[in-house]
Amino acid sequence: LSAETLTVSDYQALIDRGWRRSGCYLYKHEMDKTCCPSYTIRLKASDFVPSKEQQRVSRRLERFLDGKLDVQPREQTGASSSLGITRSEEKSKVEPVMDDLSKMIDQAVQLCIQSGEFPSNMQMPIASVKKVLCDKKKKLAKGPEQLLYTSNVAFPIAAAIKRTLTSEKVEIEGNKLSPETISEMLLSAISKVGETPGISIKVSKGHINFLSASKDSFYEKDVVPNETLHAKKDSENHKARKPKKLEMRLKRSSFDPEEHELYKRYQLKVHKDNPSRVVESSYKRFLVDSPLIYVQPSGGGDDEEKVVPPCGFGSFHQQYRVDGRLVAVGVVDILPKCLSSVYLFWDPDYAFLSLGKYSAIQEINWVRESQARCPSLEYYYLGYYIHSCSKMRYKAAYRPSELLCPLRFKWVPFEVARPLLDKKRYVILSDIKESQNQSSLLPHASETLAAHEDMEQGETNDHFMGGSDDDEDEEMDESESEDTYIESDIDNIIIGLYGSQYRYKDLRKMLNPVGRKQLEPMLQSYRKVVGDELSERMVYELR
């Protein structure tokens, strides 16, 4: 459906029937046909219980604002400065070593190709060496040696070789190209590339491990400072870092060049979007334009003030700024019963702060706080939950949540729905026992206004209005129709035509039989997908 204007109450009713908006475009999935059924998901803000991970996200941002978090964002240019990545002495010295070891493995791979051990007609994965965390060092510690770095490059190499040989229909003998065998080959080749003073190299279960020769190795002496020095430097760094200020500003939806620039950076860097899709006009259609009619906060007595929150109802952009720098924007709709999250985009340089999770927590908190002024505002809607898509399951982490039944539009606790969705993608949640019998009753969104309303005015005149007296078939249809017509459930649908509005029972008298035959199935479908009340309240526009 394409909406020109829409009241917040009507949109609230629509999202409670499975609809969502993208700009001024309203859409609803054909749940029994789509490959990825999308269930509307919400939670009652007052019942929200943050998980340990969500609590960690909040604490991490607090540490960042207090200056206690070492990781800092880069400048937008990527250059290092006062906002550049702050690295400890340990990290700055270790990384070059890791880079050297990665290059050594790459050289070993080339030797294996030259010797014929690896195929030469394929592109080999680039080696990556990672630092082993302290906790893992303790678990893996055996004897005087200590595990410092490791690389799993043998696994992607084995997979790449297997794909190449399979595509060329070459038989693979036994375990010849397993990650374990490939790591052994690389270990032999590395010994021919060069020496690694102070580091011994071993392989284990396909991994290439780099170990210190002893506890007195260069790594322990030159890279890791003693605890006293480390604590002293942490103290000095903490004193030098100034606390940061986080500001959240809620403003009505409108075009802001600064927001658009952030959106472009986010889409291009995080989602690898096509540059042609992040232009100003596309951005406006997607995240700025809204059909929702703004409702101002009441200015009357105490009772009236509690009907609408201080910001009003409508479409808004929630800005997140750190020391004045725009780091995230949450696009939201504030409706009589809920805050509905539309989209979030953030600065890729601040990815370490998990701003998507943080903003969701803040939006839930906003609903909680706003209930005092607007008691009807109880819920937080997270959009669509797609159980069959692993990337969309994160929404169920905000508990306790509910899913909307796609047939009867009743809310079902997620914990009840989950075992059913594990077995079947499309489920009539409100009545699982009758789901197979009832699934055929699901309204088909493809039969709605979007598929039928774009008619030229000339075509409307020819096929809907009047009609020729010379057409015997039409006269017969009209006679039969008048004789058999009874009051219909579509009679009170409001029709917009040529700038005027009619109830269908009144407009029907002006239509010829062909017009009625075309229009009535469309109105029946429209009524199914928007419901009885909305079909008699919203205007179905014929164009």
Side-chain angles (χ1 to χ4, degrees):
L1 303 176
S2 179
E4 293 182 4
T5 58
L6 190 63
T7 67
V8 291
S9 297
D10 286 350
Y11 184 54
Q12 177 72 68
L14 282 171
I15 65 173
D16 285 336
R17 292 182 66 89
W19 291 81
R20 298 290 294 173
R21 77 171 185 89
S22 175
C24 292
Y25 179 71
L26 307 177
Y27 61 97
K28 175 179 177 176
H29 294 82
E30 292 186 89
M31 295 283 281
D32 57 342
K33 294 183 179 181
T34 181
C35 63
C36 302
S38 306
Y39 299 85
T40 301
I41 184 170
R42 75 177 187 181
L43 68 86
K44 194 171 184 178
S46 59
D47 294 340
F48 173 59
V49 179
S51 66
K52 290 183 178 179
E53 170 59 22
Q54 289 158 359
Q55 292 173 7
R56 278 195 293 269
V57 167
S58 297
R59 289 196 299 268
R60 187 187 307 134
L61 191 131
E62 289 173 6
R63 293 200 307 274
F64 169 70
L65 296 176
D66 291 340
K68 296 177 182 178
L69 195 65
D70 280 344
V71 182
Q72 300 288 328
R74 296 186 301 273
E75 288 282 16
Q76 291 190 10
T77 59
S80 189
S81 70
S82 59
L83 282 179
I85 293 180
T86 301
R87 304 175 187 274
S88 65
E89 182 180 350
E90 173 185 358
K91 203 165 185 179
S92 65
K93 288 186 179 181
V94 168
E95 287 193 349
V97 176
M98 294 161 62
D99 189 47
D100 291 342
L101 296 175
S102 298
K103 291 177 181 177
M104 185 176 288
I105 296 176
D106 289 333
Q107 291 174 18
V109 170
Q110 293 304 314
L111 285 178
C112 291
I113 292 174
Q114 293 169 15
S115 66
E117 294 175 285
F118 294 168
S120 58
N121 60 338
M122 58 171 287
Q123 185 175 358
M124 287 291 179
I126 298 173
S128 174
V129 173
K130 296 182 179 179
K131 181 181 175 182
V132 179
L133 299 176
C134 292
D135 291 343
K136 285 193 175 182
K137 286 182 199 173
K138 293 176 182 178
K139 290 180 182 179
L140 300 172
K142 291 180 181 179
E145 292 185 321
Q146 187 178 43
L147 181 58
L148 304 180
Y149 314 106
T150 187
S151 175
N152 64 352
V153 69
F155 291 85
I157 289 178
I161 294 175
K162 185 176 180 180
R163 283 195 301 269
T164 300
L165 296 182
T166 301
S167 64
E168 295 177 356
K169 298 182 179 180
V170 177
E171 292 187 9
I172 302 173
E173 299 178 9
N175 209 28
K176 184 179 178 182
L177 293 175
S178 67
E180 290 81 1
T181 304
I182 287 175
S183 63
E184 292 284 355
M185 293 178 182
L186 291 175
L187 177 62
S188 176
I190 288 173
S191 64
K192 301 173 185 177
V193 171
E195 297 182 357
T196 51
I199 294 182
S200 63
I201 308 174
K202 296 182 180 180
V203 295
S204 175
K205 298 180 181 179
H207 293 268
I208 303 174
N209 296 327
F210 300 89
L211 304 93
S212 63
S214 70
K215 290 187 177 180
D216 295 327
S217 69
F218 82 99
Y219 177 82
E220 293 293 338
K221 291 190 296 183
D222 298 338
V223 179
V224 181
N226 62 59
E227 293 182 2
T228 304
L229 179 59
H230 193 66
K232 182 178 180 182
K233 289 196 172 186
D234 278 353
S235 177
E236 290 173 354
N237 289 337
H238 179 58
K239 289 180 181 178
R241 286 195 291 268
K242 294 181 180 179
K244 297 174 178 61
K245 182 180 180 182
L246 174 66
E247 294 178 278
M248 290 179 283
R249 303 174 185 173
L250 185 65
K251 67 184 192 71
R252 288 181 60 188
S253 181
S254 62
F255 178 73
D256 183 329
E258 186 182 16
E259 290 183 359
H260 179 227
E261 286 302 314
L262 179 60
Y263 170 76
K264 285 197 295 185
R265 294 187 63 236
Y266 171 77
Q267 291 295 129
L268 295 175
K269 193 162 185 179
V270 176
H271 292 294
K272 313 299 180 187
D273 210 343
N274 189 318
S276 64
R277 297 182 60 185
V278 296
V279 295
E280 182 178 317
S281 58
S282 176
Y283 169 71
K284 285 181 177 178
R285 283 196 303 271
F286 178 31
L287 295 176
V288 177
D289 295 345
S290 172
L292 299 188
I293 301 170
Y294 177 66
V295 178
Q296 294 183 344
S298 303
D302 292 340
D303 291 338
E304 289 186 16
E305 287 180 3
K306 289 188 176 183
V307 175
V308 182
C311 61
F313 290 134
S315 298
F316 298 85
H317 285 195
Q318 172 88 309
Q319 294 185 344
Y320 296 80
R321 293 180 178 273
V322 174
D323 287 346
R325 176 177 172 177
L326 185 66
V327 299
V329 176
V331 181
V332 301
D333 292 329
I334 298 177
L335 307 174
K337 293 187 348 187
C338 73
L339 182 150
S340 174
S341 178
V342 178
Y343 200 70
L344 178 87
F345 52 95
W346 38 264
D347 191 331
D349 293 344
Y350 285 76
F352 64 92
L353 289 177
S354 302
L355 291 170
K357 295 176 182 177
Y358 182 79
S359 66
I361 296 169
Q362 293 307 307
E363 288 167 1
I364 294 170
N365 289 339
W366 184 91
V367 175
R368 276 177 166 171
E369 294 169 0
S370 298
Q371 264 194 283
R373 294 287 301 271
C374 182
S376 66
L377 197 59
E378 294 184 83
Y379 293 95
Y380 177 59
Y381 283 57
L382 295 90
Y384 286 133
Y385 172 79
I386 306 176
H387 194 71
S388 55
C389 176
S390 58
K391 290 184 178 180
M392 297 296 286
R393 288 192 177 190
Y394 73 92
K395 294 184 179 183
Y398 299 89
R399 299 189 178 107
S401 55
E402 302 174 300
L403 299 181
L404 183 67
C405 174
L407 180 64
R408 297 185 181 89
F409 311 115
K410 295 179 180 179
W411 294 97
V412 178
F414 173 76
E415 295 304 326
V416 173
R418 180 168 59 181
L420 308 179
L421 294 172
D422 286 338
K423 299 177 182 178
K424 192 176 179 182
R425 290 184 175 184
Y426 171 61
V427 180
I428 298 176
L429 300 172
S430 61
D431 193 351
I432 185 60
K433 292 182 180 179
E434 298 180 10
S435 62
Q436 293 187 358
N437 296 331
Q438 298 286 353
S439 61
S440 61
L441 299 178
L442 185 71
H444 297 314
S446 62
E447 298 173 0
T448 65
L449 181 59
H452 300 291
E453 69 172 341
D454 293 323
M455 297 175 288
E456 298 292 335
Q457 288 190 5
E459 181 180 345
T460 303
N461 287 330
D462 292 341
H463 295 284
F464 283 157
M465 311 298 290
S468 171
D469 293 336
D470 297 331
D471 195 325
E472 294 181 2
D473 291 336
E474 287 189 13
E475 287 181 0
M476 182 171 63
D477 289 342
E478 184 174 4
S479 175
E480 290 176 358
S481 177
E482 289 298 331
D483 290 341
T484 58
Y485 176 73
I486 57 174
E487 187 175 350
S488 169
D489 52 11
I490 62 174
D491 277 356
N492 288 320
I493 292 179
I494 304 175
I495 309 292
L497 184 65
Y498 303 150
S500 299
Q501 296 180 7
Y502 309 86
R503 296 284 179 183
Y504 179 64
K505 60 185 178 183
D506 299 322
L507 180 64
R508 187 181 185 281
K509 301 172 184 177
M510 296 184 277
L511 301 179
N512 64 31
V514 174
R516 292 195 293 271
K517 188 175 181 180
Q518 278 189 285
L519 185 57
E520 288 181 2
M522 295 157 54
L523 296 180
Q524 290 284 0
S525 296
Y526 170 70
R527 176 181 163 274
K528 284 183 181 180
V529 292
V530 302
D532 295 347
E533 291 185 16
L534 286 178
S535 69
E536 297 177 10
R537 201 160 68 216
M538 299 193 300
V539 179
Y540 183 102
E541 190 78 22
L542 295 178
R543 295 178 179 175

